[in-house]
Amino acid sequence: MVKFVIAISGKRKSGKDYCAKLIKESIASKGVSVSAVGISHSLKEEYAKIHDLNFAELLTDGPYKEKYRKDMILWGEEARNKDFAVFCRAAIKSVIDSDVVIVSDCRRLTDYAYFNSNFNSLTIRVESSEENRKERGFRFVEGVDDAESECGLDNYKFDVVLKNLTGEELAPQIEAITGIVINKL
């Protein structure tokens, strides 16, 4: 049964998945059952079924996903307008047996509202410089990078801001986050 949710957000190419992986490894090293999931995974799975697309390819950072990104965002917004927590519930359901769940891709206030109201949680924003994001392949796309899916949490007050800057040590920040989680279990 899920005891704690770490809800991570950040801009494209900020390193959300990388930081989630490091946090997961750190928490697991303390003997705690931990899983990492993405809200977008359940969205992409359903979108792929409906549109007869390759789900595995939609999970990559390649051109296949980029080809469908704008339409997936619009379709996802329509689904959320009917039920704002539909993809959050699906993500948690897939890892219900873990003590700690790391959700690596929160993008909306409603995502945080769901996790904060249903679980003990920690909100984390992964931040990286524009230069570092560009080094990781970021290119601004109108209609994507200025949409709610990228900007909806820009003014949110996060519990922790994790600075993921190239060449800087992440270990002290990861250890601090692990300590917060372990103390709240």
Side-chain angles (χ1 to χ4, degrees):
M1 186 68 165
V2 177
K3 296 178 184 174
F4 198 86
V5 171
I6 301 170
I8 297 176
S9 76
K11 300 287 187 180
R12 287 194 311 130
K13 302 295 184 180
S14 62
K16 298 179 297 293
D17 289 329
Y18 176 69
C19 291
K21 175 182 169 276
L22 295 177
I23 294 167
K24 180 181 176 189
E25 290 169 355
S26 180
I27 292 171
S29 75
K30 306 295 185 198
V32 175
S33 167
V34 58
S35 295
V37 297
I39 295 170
S40 66
H41 291 188
S42 57
L43 182 153
K44 290 171 185 170
E45 184 174 22
E46 189 63 23
Y47 183 84
K49 284 179 193 172
I50 290 169
H51 295 90
D52 195 31
L53 298 173
N54 184 326
F55 171 58
E57 282 295 313
L58 290 177
L59 293 176
T60 70
D61 282 335
Y64 188 83
K65 177 175 80 174
E66 294 307 318
K67 178 179 177 181
Y68 298 103
R69 182 184 286 274
K70 282 186 183 181
D71 190 53
M72 272 194 300
I73 290 170
L74 293 173
W75 177 83
E77 292 302 327
E78 289 174 10
R80 283 184 184 90
N81 287 338
K82 295 175 187 166
D83 177 1
F84 78 90
V86 62
F87 301 120
C88 295
R89 280 194 309 275
I92 291 293
K93 185 178 179 184
S94 70
V95 290
I96 198 72
D97 293 332
S98 297
D99 291 331
V100 175
V101 174
I102 301 168
V103 181
S104 64
D105 61 350
C106 294
R107 298 191 174 276
R108 291 163 185 78
L109 290 170
T110 54
D111 296 343
Y112 278 168
Y114 173 78
F115 293 120
N116 289 336
S117 65
N118 289 284
F119 302 95
N120 289 324
S121 63
L122 180 72
T123 60
I124 297 176
R125 177 67 156 206
V126 175
E127 291 187 350
S128 189
S129 70
E130 180 108 6
E131 180 182 323
N132 286 168
R133 292 173 61 215
K134 285 180 179 176
E135 289 168 359
R136 297 172 188 150
F138 172 75
R139 299 291 173 264
F140 183 87
V141 176
E142 191 171 334
V144 173
D145 294 299
D146 52 0
E148 181 187 7
S149 61
E150 286 299 317
C151 303
L153 294 171
D154 285 356
N155 297 315
Y156 190 84
K157 183 168 175 12
F158 303 94
D159 297 320
V160 175
V161 175
L162 197 162
K163 299 282 186 183
N164 182 24
L165 302 171
T166 300
E168 292 194 16
E169 183 62 43
L170 283 172
Q173 297 177 84
I174 301 297
E175 290 170 15
I177 291 166
T178 300
I180 291 169
V181 174
I182 298 301
N183 287 331
K184 292 191 176 192
L185 288 179

